[in-house]
Amino acid sequence: METQILQIDEQHINAEWIRQAGEIIKAGGLVAFPTETVYGLGGDALNPASAKKIYAAKGRPSDNPLIVHIYRIEDLHLLVKEIPEAARKLAAVFWPGPLTMIFEKSEAVPYETTGGLNTVAVRMPSNPVAAAFIREAGGYVAAPSANRSGRPSPTAAGYVAEDMRGRIEMILDGGDVEIGLESTIVDMTGEEPTILRPGFVTKEMLKDVLQSVSEDETMMSCSDGQAPKAPGMKYRHYAPKGDLTIVDGAERRVVDYINEQALRLREEGGKVGIIGTNATIADYRGDSCKSVGDRADEAAIARTLYRILREFDDEDVTVIFSESFTAAGLGQAIMNRLLKAAGHKVVHV
Ligand code: AMP
Ligand code: MG
């Protein structure tokens, strides 16, 4: 299959191209599209055959549920059994935006889309290209991140092409994404809203709107035997090819430790990648040293992390060391992804 790649300017959206993209979805095909979080791989959420195609294109296990994307709040009704009051409040504040909510699913949503679950994940993205595309596609687009299973989520169309060229009909290239990490997922089906995956919408932001929000215990830990509530979280997602270790401690000790390890591993023939910050990056002695930006600028770190992991893959780095980041606010999402990429390997120095 030939994959058509179309560059769409957010300010001047080419209506004819968006219409063509929508036609592909309605005909049961797949289109990758930009959102504010990461690129999505879209198919018709109400068509069981489309969900199967998404799993095949990603090489993803079919018990891993997809998020259904809508472009206006009123379309939520068709997808869910009921809308709890707390969900109305969150939608009013955070939609459109990087928040996904889990509801009891309606009959309209096929089990292929929900990975066999009786619940459905729904999000209304704010990216204008995404919104226009979802509308033209009929209003309900199921989309996971547009990467092959096991690779970091794509933050630019070029990365989507790397993974999906020849496997899907079209890629809408809307440039670099704004946020760079996947949406916050909150389960609205229990007694108390529960965060299943941290993201740009932080626990503190959710608590400003709702009195009580809890967190899935497995979110930041690696305890065996406890199944995460968001099925996708059990897979070792976000995994770079190189063996990643997070090094936590005082800045100078971290730099010294990483450099000692890098020296030893390079002598043994390894190719060492190092993830540092603007304050430390010049001090590292690896084969490839990359800064995520200023430690204080968490938004920049979120935007840069997956790109760096992909670059290390392209450079065939065999071992990676990363500095550790504060796990509060947006830092919680950053550390959640980094810990997963590292298979929870952390060294304290
Ligand atoms: P992705 O779009 O690649 O970030 O993956 C979507 C993720 O959303 C899945 O891997 C699950 O972890 C989560 N998810 C989707 N639907 C549900 C659901 N019904 N219940 C719990 N988690 C869900
Ligand atoms: Mg994903």
Side-chain angles (χ1 to χ4, degrees), residues 9 12 50 88 111 137 141 147 155 241 257 313 319 344-345:
D9 179 354
H12 308 274
S50 297
R88 283 182 207 282
Y111 281 108
V141 173
N147 52 285
T155 52
K241 290 183 203 154
Y257 175 84
D313 278 358
V319 188
H344 287 273
K345 206 157 5 114

Side-chain angles (χ1 to χ4, degrees), residues 37-179:
T37 57
V38 298
Y39 273 75
L41 175 57
D44 181 351
L46 308 182
N47 179 352
S50 297
K52 285 189 184 150
K53 277 193 199 167
I54 291 175
Y55 293 124
K58 272 186 77 85
R60 163 187 260 197
S62 58
D63 66 342
N64 196 343
L66 308 173
I67 295 173
V68 179
H69 293 68
I70 57 177
Y71 75 98
R72 51 178 188 188
I73 291 187
E74 54 263 46
D75 289 339
L76 181 59
H77 295 273
L78 180 86
L79 301 172
V80 307
K81 275 218 176 103
E82 62 164 333
I83 306 176
E85 190 47 37
R88 283 182 207 282
K89 286 189 185 158
L90 291 183
V93 177
F94 297 111
W95 279 4
L99 175 71
T100 296
M101 288 190 273
I102 312 271
F103 302 89
E104 301 288 344
K105 83 169 193 69
S106 72
E107 304 278 307
V109 184
Y111 281 108
E112 283 77 359
T113 297
T114 66
L117 298 173
N118 286 317
T119 53
V120 60
V122 186
R123 178 161 107 80
M124 180 171 150
S126 62
N127 180 295
V129 177
F133 161 64
I134 296 164
R135 192 185 52 197
E136 288 298 315
Y140 306 96
V141 173
S145 49
N147 52 285
R148 292 275 295 165
S149 196
R151 302 215 68 200
S153 298
T155 52
Y159 296 134
V160 179
E162 257 178 44
D163 284 15
M164 293 295 162
R165 200 191 289 276
R167 300 177 157 269
I168 63 178
E169 279 83 356
M170 185 183 279
I171 298 171
L172 296 175
D173 177 355
D176 289 347
V177 300
E178 244 175 88
I179 295 175

Side-chain angles (χ1 to χ4, degrees), residues 27-306:
L30 304 183
V31 175
F33 62 102
T35 81
E36 65 276 20
T37 57
V38 298
Y39 273 75
L41 175 57
D44 181 351
L46 308 182
N47 179 352
S50 297
K52 285 189 184 150
K53 277 193 199 167
I54 291 175
Y55 293 124
K58 272 186 77 85
R60 163 187 260 197
S62 58
D63 66 342
N64 196 343
L66 308 173
I67 295 173
V68 179
H69 293 68
I70 57 177
Y71 75 98
R72 51 178 188 188
I73 291 187
E74 54 263 46
D75 289 339
L76 181 59
H77 295 273
L78 180 86
L79 301 172
V80 307
K81 275 218 176 103
E82 62 164 333
I83 306 176
E85 190 47 37
R88 283 182 207 282
K89 286 189 185 158
L90 291 183
V93 177
F94 297 111
W95 279 4
L99 175 71
T100 296
M101 288 190 273
I102 312 271
F103 302 89
E104 301 288 344
K105 83 169 193 69
S106 72
E107 304 278 307
V109 184
Y111 281 108
E112 283 77 359
T113 297
T114 66
L117 298 173
N118 286 317
T119 53
V120 60
V122 186
R123 178 161 107 80
M124 180 171 150
S126 62
N127 180 295
V129 177
F133 161 64
I134 296 164
R135 192 185 52 197
E136 288 298 315
Y140 306 96
V141 173
S145 49
N147 52 285
R148 292 275 295 165
S149 196
R151 302 215 68 200
S153 298
T155 52
Y159 296 134
V160 179
E162 257 178 44
D163 284 15
M164 293 295 162
R165 200 191 289 276
R167 300 177 157 269
I168 63 178
E169 279 83 356
M170 185 183 279
I171 298 171
L172 296 175
D173 177 355
D176 289 347
V177 300
E178 244 175 88
I179 295 175
L181 296 178
E182 304 83 352
S183 59
T184 305
I185 301 182
V186 183
D187 184 356
M188 307 304 295
T189 65
E191 240 153 62
E192 200 179 28
T194 305
I195 304 172
L196 305 187
R197 177 173 76 183
F200 188 82
V201 175
T202 62
K203 182 173 55 186
E204 293 76 17
M205 289 158 76
L206 293 166
K207 279 194 173 151
D208 279 344
V209 180
L210 306 176
Q211 277 59 49
S212 64
V213 179
S214 60
E215 282 172 297
D216 181 13
E217 284 158 32
T218 65
M219 208 163 71
M220 303 299 282
S221 74
C222 56
S223 46
D224 290 332
Q226 259 177 311
K229 294 211 184 71
M233 302 293 272
K234 77 179 174 223
Y235 296 106
R236 196 176 158 231
H237 260 177
Y238 325 118
K241 290 183 203 154
D243 186 27
L244 169 61
T245 303
I246 300 167
V247 183
D248 181 44
E251 189 174 282
R252 278 301 105 191
R253 293 174 71 116
V254 169
V255 171
D256 290 344
Y257 175 84
I258 291 178
N259 279 339
E260 280 163 28
Q261 297 299 312
L263 182 66
R264 182 178 61 77
L265 289 158
R266 291 173 80 187
E267 275 169 3
E268 289 170 9
K271 185 167 182 193
V272 178
I274 298 172
I275 301 177
T277 50
N278 287 352
T280 55
I281 200 69
D283 300 335
Y284 284 117
R285 302 285 170 264
D287 293 283
S288 179
C289 305
K290 296 179 194 286
S291 170
V292 284
D294 278 333
R295 179 164 282 283
D297 187 353
E298 290 182 326
I301 299 174
R303 237 185 347 256
T304 315
L305 183 64
Y306 285 157

